[in-house]
Amino acid sequence: MNHNMTDTIVALSTPQGQGAIGVIRLSGKQAIEIVNSTFFAKDLLAVPANTVHFGKIRDEEGRVLDECVVTIFKAPHSYTKEDVVEISCHGSPYILDQVIQLMLRKGARMADRGEFTLRAFLNGQMDLSQAEAVADLIASENASSHELAIRQMRGGFSDQISALRQELIDFAALIELELDFGEEDVEFADRGKLENLVEEIQGVIKKLVDSFHLGNVIKKGVATVIAGRPNAGKSTLLNALLNEERAIVSEIAGTTRDTIEESMNINGIKFRLVDTAGIREAQDSIEKIGVERTLSEIGKSTVVIYVFDVWQTKPEELWEDVERFLSASRALTKGSKQLFVANKMDLNPYTKPEDYYKEGLIGAENLITASALNKMNIEAIKNELYRIVIENPDLMDQTIVTNSRHYDALHKALQSLDAVLVGLQGGITGDFIAMDIRQALHHLGLITGEIHTDDLLDSIFGRFCIGK
């Protein structure tokens, strides 16, 4: 990636393809000058900042490329803290390409992926975790992931990490001072207070680490597999949850032979529903592949909705089936939950749910009676799915970690703080304690970008779209 901050960069900031308008963005010292040399309406070099102007863009031969609106942002009051110009053209791919080529001939260069946001970070407009939240905001697909990205972009997570880091820095400074007076055997840092501080910081970091599972679910969606015997009503349940006829429903067992995937939103959380082939001894090679895929999907799931037919299935048969599929699908995803749906209650309304309870496997907390065909208890199933994922709704109002890089850095910071505690309790010398504190500070600094490398920045900003 080219990190030359003296260049003026240009890129299309709206999606590729034909549309009503397309926005071309330039950033850098020559941004206003370059656009001014092609814009015929007024002198952009003389206009106030944060103003919008209508005129024509002409090429070197005077040919009109488009009538457009130009918006001027002057440093440091812009997204990148540099001079920024945004040209809103008609959304013809040909026009947009012609205007960009003109800007390149006038001295700009094409921006790398994420380079506008990279410049915002390098110029101090935002820290690294806020910059990453920009990408999360663009990729958000539901209300909860949008809310988390907005919260992080505004600096809530960054402020919390910076506060923790500063407390450690203050104590580390006292220990470093002790090292300067090593021969005089003085102690500036109260070891008891330092131990209390480290334990307090560990408590905060552990909460953040524990929140990653929820954050990952909100960001990527909840992998939810609908499983059960053939003809248990899995596809009917999928259709009822989606409120549309998405899957083929038939009385013939084994109709679903491959997985069907759809998405559903419950209270702002995206659930990725996977309807699977019925679990039984396969009747042919194609059905065998379908059953294998079912077990594979179960192994990757966050939630398994296990559907059984109360008219056809005895409690002992259900327990045996469940034990078998849990064993056959090997280790489920860590933290995976099961919700059991006693389906076709309209055919056997006198069924007692408690007859199917089995300690440690099925109980009142994870079994719901339903009739997917008549859409009985569908809302209850949705509410239970949400409850399973968001066990504590209060967590939604706290800082939630959604980024695997942040999770890894926090985990390593915890390990370093563990070493600090071991050292304090074991009475080791200040130089070793200082070394472990510096390691913790390093990992926390990686989150906000107070410590960074070019490789790290390339990895992060290389995932952005061009023009952002």
Side-chain angles (χ1 to χ4, degrees):
M1 185 181 287
N2 190 341
H3 292 167
N4 190 338
M5 298 284 285
T6 63
D7 293 344
T8 295
I9 56 176
V10 62
L12 178 66
S13 286
T14 45
Q16 295 282 349
Q18 192 166 336
I21 63 168
V23 178
I24 296 167
R25 176 185 287 169
L26 294 92
S27 181
K29 292 182 179 180
Q30 292 182 292
I32 299 174
E33 180 183 337
I34 288 173
V35 177
N36 191 54
S37 67
T38 70
F39 185 72
F40 289 81
K42 59 181 67 176
D43 184 2
L44 297 177
L45 295 173
V47 301
N50 306 325
T51 53
V52 180
H53 311 276
F54 175 76
K56 295 181 176 67
I57 294 284
R58 296 179 183 269
D59 64 14
E60 298 91 339
E61 298 174 357
R63 183 169 63 99
V64 176
L65 298 182
D66 196 19
E67 290 185 338
C68 58
V69 172
V70 171
T71 308
I72 303 295
F73 304 93
K74 294 186 178 180
H77 305 295
S78 72
Y79 181 69
T80 62
K81 282 198 147 183
E82 302 175 332
D83 286 344
V84 171
V85 181
E86 292 185 349
I87 307 170
S88 298
C89 303
H90 290 95
S92 157
Y94 172 77
I95 292 174
L96 295 170
D97 181 65
Q98 289 296 300
V99 174
I100 290 174
Q101 292 302 319
L102 177 60
M103 299 301 144
L104 294 174
R105 293 197 298 271
K106 290 291 184 176
R109 72 162 169 83
M110 282 299 296
D112 290 319
R113 297 176 70 90
E115 190 169 1
F116 290 96
T117 305
L118 171 63
R119 290 190 175 199
F121 162 67
L122 293 175
N123 289 329
Q125 180 78 305
M126 59 183 73
D127 68 28
L128 199 53
S129 69
Q130 289 173 297
E132 289 171 291
V134 172
D136 289 343
L137 184 64
I138 293 170
S140 62
E141 296 181 349
N142 55 67
S144 296
S145 59
H146 172 267
E147 175 62 28
L148 290 183
I150 285 286
R151 202 184 302 168
Q152 186 165 320
M153 201 168 71
R154 288 175 178 169
F157 180 49
S158 304
D159 292 344
Q160 196 168 4
I161 294 299
S162 295
L164 296 176
R165 196 167 183 272
Q166 189 57 53
E167 289 186 88
L168 277 176
I169 287 173
D170 293 341
F171 253 102
L174 294 176
I175 292 179
E176 297 283 356
L177 188 61
E178 289 177 5
L179 298 179
D180 292 338
F181 291 86
E183 296 180 0
E184 301 180 28
D185 195 26
V186 293
E187 188 174 282
F188 295 106
D190 186 313
R191 296 301 193 266
K193 286 184 178 180
L194 177 56
E195 187 171 335
N196 290 336
L197 173 64
V198 170
E199 289 176 345
E200 181 182 335
I201 292 175
Q202 279 188 315
V204 175
I205 293 178
K206 282 176 181 175
K207 285 183 179 179
L208 292 172
V209 167
D210 291 342
S211 75
F212 177 69
H213 175 71
L214 174 59
N216 208 34
V217 157
I218 292 172
K219 183 176 178 179
K220 297 182 179 179
V222 185
T224 307
V225 171
I226 303 175
R229 284 187 178 187
N231 218 19
K234 299 184 298 301
S235 297
T236 305
L237 179 61
L238 174 69
N239 290 340
L241 289 170
L242 298 174
N243 200 28
E244 64 174 281
E245 297 301 311
R246 174 62 182 86
I248 298 172
V249 176
S250 167
E251 294 181 0
I252 302 172
T255 301
T256 302
R257 295 195 165 204
D258 201 352
T259 58
I260 299 174
E261 297 190 27
E262 283 292 339
S263 295
M264 172 181 66
N265 192 297
I266 304 176
N267 298 333
I269 302 294
K270 179 182 176 183
F271 286 79
R272 294 184 284 108
L273 300 175
V274 182
D275 182 21
T276 60
I279 302 175
R280 68 172 180 180
E281 290 296 324
Q283 305 299 307
D284 55 52
S285 59
I286 296 176
E287 187 177 6
K288 182 180 179 182
I289 294 172
V291 173
E292 289 173 352
R293 288 185 180 178
T294 295
L295 297 175
S296 175
E297 291 294 337
I298 290 172
K300 296 183 291 185
S301 66
T302 301
V303 178
V304 177
I305 304 175
Y306 193 86
V307 185
F308 64 95
D309 180 346
V310 296
W311 182 249
Q312 298 289 342
T313 310
K314 296 177 182 178
E316 296 79 9
E317 292 175 323
L318 173 64
W319 303 334
E320 184 180 336
D321 285 351
V322 173
E323 294 286 4
R324 187 186 303 121
F325 95 73
L326 287 176
S327 174
S329 60
R330 303 180 185 89
L332 291 176
T333 305
K334 186 178 180 181
S336 177
K337 306 289 178 64
Q338 293 88 49
L339 174 62
F340 297 92
V341 175
N343 193 30
K344 303 187 182 181
M345 284 294 291
D346 54 314
L347 299 179
N348 197 5
Y350 301 107
T351 298
K352 295 179 181 179
E354 54 269 27
D355 289 343
Y356 290 95
Y357 294 172
K358 185 173 184 180
E359 188 175 354
L361 189 65
I362 304 172
E365 72 285 352
N366 67 348
L367 187 145
I368 293 181
T369 57
S371 171
L373 182 64
N374 298 313
K375 298 187 178 179
M376 183 189 99
N377 272 356
I378 295 302
E379 288 305 312
I381 292 172
K382 290 182 179 181
N383 291 337
E384 187 60 22
L385 286 172
Y386 182 81
R387 188 201 65 77
I388 286 174
V389 175
I390 314 295
E391 292 179 346
N392 183 0
D394 292 339
L395 288 177
M396 298 295 288
D397 297 324
Q398 301 174 17
T399 301
I400 298 175
V401 177
T402 62
N403 187 300
S404 57
R405 189 183 71 82
H406 299 169
Y407 172 80
D408 183 59
L410 288 168
H411 188 69
K412 289 177 178 176
L414 266 182
Q415 291 177 327
S416 297
L417 291 173
D418 281 338
V420 172
L421 278 182
V422 170
L424 288 171
Q425 293 162 0
I428 67 170
T429 57
D431 52 345
F432 287 105
I433 293 174
M435 186 184 305
D436 291 327
I437 292 178
R438 282 195 293 268
Q439 276 293 103
L441 290 171
H442 172 81
H443 294 305
L444 293 176
L446 285 174
I447 294 173
T448 57
E450 290 163 278
I451 297 170
H452 64 80
T453 64
D454 285 345
D455 287 343
L456 174 63
L457 297 184
D458 286 349
S459 173
I460 291 171
F461 292 98
R463 293 193 291 267
F464 278 61
C465 55
I466 292 176
K468 196 62 182 175

